[in-house]
Amino acid sequence: MEYGFERYGKLHDIIFMMEIGQYGDTAFLHGECVRWRQHVGSDSNNLTTGPFPKEILEILFRMNEIFQKQKSRGNLKSHIKNILFSTLLFNFSYFLYGWSDLERFVTWQGFKIMMRERGLFSKRQYNIFDLIIDRILNPIIRMEAKRQRKKSFCNYSYRVGR
């Protein structure tokens, strides 16, 4: 795999990890696993070097591409997965918008238009999200995430320094 810094900016590791995951099973470590370059002068603490709206759009677009390659079509279960993925992508786009302080460049409404122009969501999907995302879709996603964690969770006991 290669880093895509020129396309995704300093958040390129998101796509890097997703692309690695396409090659087989991966492990998700909840919480802090490795800590490096964590200091006040770190690039991660400096918004002048991004992320910028175009980079966030590229990340979201690539995430959608990866999902589209893997989805199956035709049955109710795949239709539900498509709805859940769209909900996750919408939530993640809202998170990245706030986290990266994109309001310095564009309003949330303007960013939604940019995502729609890029083909990530339709106007109809935005209307649906505005109506039911917090009451219906997000609780379903939390239940599914909990079910998937229980299904694939392995607990390894370990001791540091022993």
Side-chain angles (χ1 to χ4, degrees), residues 73-92:
R73 302 185 198 294
N75 62 26
L76 180 63
K77 191 173 182 177
S78 66
H79 185 65
I80 291 169
K81 282 184 179 182
N82 294 340
I83 291 169
L84 294 179
F85 173 77
S86 294
T87 304
L88 285 169
L89 189 63
F90 184 82
N91 282 329
F92 192 59

Side-chain angles (χ1 to χ4, degrees), residues 124-135:
R124 181 174 175 245
Q125 285 174 310
Y126 284 129
N127 293 336
I128 291 170
F129 289 142
D130 285 341
L131 291 173
I132 64 173
I133 197 166
D134 287 326
R135 288 191 206 131

Side-chain angles (χ1 to χ4, degrees), residues 2-162:
E2 293 181 22
Y3 276 135
F5 186 80
E6 63 287 339
R7 184 173 176 190
Y8 309 113
K10 63 183 174 183
L11 298 180
H12 57 91
D13 54 341
I14 295 169
I15 298 303
F16 182 78
M17 294 305 292
M18 287 187 75
E19 289 176 346
I20 286 174
Q22 290 181 311
Y23 289 96
D25 293 340
T26 56
F28 174 74
L29 303 173
H30 186 67
E32 187 175 289
C33 177
V34 176
R35 192 172 191 174
W36 82 99
R37 293 186 297 168
Q38 297 290 324
H39 56 84
V40 176
S42 172
D43 185 45
S44 298
N45 295 325
N46 184 349
L47 290 176
T48 61
T49 58
F52 302 109
K54 184 180 178 201
E55 295 167 347
I56 299 293
L57 282 172
E58 289 296 327
I59 288 169
L60 298 171
F61 187 76
R62 181 64 181 132
M63 290 173 76
N64 193 43
E65 278 182 334
I66 291 170
F67 176 75
Q68 297 301 328
K69 280 186 201 173
Q70 298 178 18
K71 76 176 190 179
S72 58
R73 302 185 198 294
N75 62 26
L76 180 63
K77 191 173 182 177
S78 66
H79 185 65
I80 291 169
K81 282 184 179 182
N82 294 340
I83 291 169
L84 294 179
F85 173 77
S86 294
T87 304
L88 285 169
L89 189 63
F90 184 82
N91 282 329
F92 192 59
S93 67
Y94 186 70
F95 164 77
L96 283 179
Y97 176 84
W99 178 85
S100 59
D101 199 22
L102 287 187
E103 67 185 12
R104 317 173 270 153
F105 307 106
V106 62
T107 65
W108 172 242
Q109 294 303 320
F111 192 68
K112 286 192 331 186
I113 290 168
M114 292 169 74
M115 289 190 291
R116 193 170 65 229
E117 288 172 349
R118 193 66 199 268
L120 291 170
F121 302 102
S122 67
K123 189 171 184 174
R124 181 174 175 245
Q125 285 174 310
Y126 284 129
N127 293 336
I128 291 170
F129 289 142
D130 285 341
L131 291 173
I132 64 173
I133 197 166
D134 287 326
R135 288 191 206 131
I136 298 171
L137 295 174
N138 284 340
I140 292 171
I141 285 176
R142 280 192 289 276
M143 285 182 349
E144 179 64 14
K146 189 175 182 179
R147 188 177 74 76
Q148 290 296 329
R149 268 195 307 271
K150 283 182 179 179
K151 186 170 106 178
S152 60
F153 181 74
C154 295
N155 189 6
Y156 297 97
S157 59
Y158 61 92
R159 295 189 187 270
V160 177
R162 288 188 186 220

